[in-house]
Amino acid sequence: MVPLLLVLLLVLLLFGAGFALKILWWVAIIVLVVWLLGFVARGTGASGSRNRWYRW
């Protein structure tokens, strides 16, 4: 009974980790798209030069 419970626990852990990693990939893709949109759609400054859209 104990080995069966250990195997089921391992399966649940691996399934949870796989689901979390898949969610993290989607979050990373969304952040990349937002960053690229901000890079393309950045505004121009008073002198006509293009400024960064973020404050780093």
Side-chain angles (χ1 to χ4, degrees):
M1 186 69 178
V2 173
L4 179 64
L5 289 176
L6 288 175
V7 168
L8 287 175
L9 183 63
L10 181 63
V11 167
L12 284 174
L13 284 173
L14 291 176
F15 176 75
F19 182 73
L21 288 176
K22 187 174 182 180
I23 294 295
L24 288 177
W25 271 110
W26 281 110
V27 169
I29 290 171
I30 290 170
V31 168
L32 178 65
V33 167
V34 168
W35 180 78
L36 287 175
L37 285 175
F39 184 75
V40 170
R42 59 187 175 184
T44 58
S47 63
S49 64
R50 296 180 78 109
N51 294 329
R52 292 183 299 210
W53 65 282
Y54 52 85
R55 292 180 162 190
W56 290 356

